[in-house]
Amino acid sequence: MQRSSSSSSAKNLCRKILYHGNQIQPTERRCDVFINHRGRDTKRNISGLLYDHLLRLKLNPFMDSKNMKPGDRLFDKIETAIGHCKVGVAVFSPHYSESYFCLHELALIMESRKKVIPIFYDVKPSQLKVRDDGTFSNKDLQRFKWAIEEAKYTVGLKFDSLQGDWSDFLTKATDVVIENLTEEDIINRE
């Protein structure tokens, strides 16, 4: 019974987004879902597939490799997208914590108190650690460690790329994103 209520809420949210999306020029439309990911690990599989799936549902996802073009100012565009998104999806992967950009984006999402959906892709939460190799400032190191700790203790989804069912996982991840968007929409209306 709750499933049909959730499903009709999701359909209403999609209609609302479509209506508002038609009122705004595509270049001005704010993102609904920010996908934080390590490109070399997930751009061509889980993150890219999730982005395409959300886009087909007329939700407005943001993924740097899909939404940015030559000439865009990297930090400005990403910070604006994070500031305007309703939900963040953090796709944790084996090389995620090696990237300053991934950690910076995650810290921004957490600092702005956005709803975050962690996806643990071929990695366990306990494996996520920020290594101090001397390349981060002390301030960034503290922010990144805090953000990782917050994310690891947030209920998320796990996926094993060698044994998992890609189609089933994509459907499940999309359903979770829609449920969270619906919740955020309800909270913002109250």
Side-chain angles (χ1 to χ4, degrees):
M1 176 110 171
Q2 187 176 359
R3 186 79 168 152
S4 64
S5 170
S6 174
S7 179
S8 80
S9 293
K11 287 179 187 174
N12 288 336
L13 176 65
C14 286
R15 282 188 200 110
K16 186 176 179 181
I17 290 169
L18 283 172
Y19 172 77
H20 289 295
N22 290 334
Q23 305 302 313
I24 302 171
Q25 295 298 319
T27 56
E28 297 173 13
R29 186 158 172 231
R30 296 179 177 186
C31 84
D32 296 312
V33 182
F34 185 92
I35 301 174
N36 167 248
H37 71 293
R38 175 71 172 178
R40 85 179 216 194
D41 290 345
T42 69
K43 177 174 54 176
R44 290 191 178 105
N45 50 52
I46 198 162
S47 297
L49 291 169
L50 181 60
Y51 173 89
D52 290 341
H53 198 69
L54 294 171
L55 193 63
R56 271 189 247 115
L57 291 172
K58 304 295 186 204
L59 299 173
N60 193 25
F62 181 94
M63 195 166 100
D64 56 1
S65 62
K66 302 274 188 172
N67 293 84
M68 296 186 68
K69 60 188 182 312
D72 284 344
R73 296 188 49 85
L74 184 65
F75 287 112
D76 292 346
K77 187 93 170 185
I78 286 172
E79 288 177 14
T80 299
I82 290 171
H84 292 149
C85 77
K86 297 173 184 168
V87 173
V89 175
V91 182
F92 296 109
S93 58
H95 299 285
Y96 179 94
S97 294
E98 298 168 9
S99 169
Y100 173 87
F101 294 105
C102 290
L103 295 168
H104 177 70
E105 290 172 7
L106 179 65
L108 286 174
I109 293 167
M110 295 306 221
E111 289 163 352
S112 63
R113 297 285 196 216
K114 300 291 181 177
K115 185 79 164 232
V116 177
I117 302 164
I119 294 177
F120 301 100
Y121 174 78
D122 289 341
V123 67
K124 295 177 185 169
S126 61
Q127 294 173 304
L128 294 174
K129 295 188 184 346
V130 178
R131 289 171 183 76
D132 183 4
D133 60 1
T135 60
F136 304 138
S137 71
N138 284 336
K139 182 181 176 184
D140 281 340
L141 191 60
Q142 288 176 336
R143 288 177 66 231
F144 299 164
K145 285 182 177 181
W146 170 79
I148 285 282
E149 288 303 308
E150 289 289 311
K152 332 197 287 198
Y153 295 108
T154 302
V155 177
L157 303 169
K158 295 176 185 164
F159 187 71
D160 178 337
S161 65
L162 297 177
Q163 298 187 20
D165 180 326
W166 285 89
S167 179
D168 182 52
F169 182 79
L170 186 59
T171 299
K172 184 176 183 178
T174 302
D175 287 347
V176 168
V177 168
I178 290 172
E179 286 172 23
N180 279 277
L181 283 170
T182 303
E183 287 173 14
E184 289 301 306
D185 189 49
I186 290 168
I187 289 169
N188 290 332
R189 280 188 283 161
E190 292 176 350

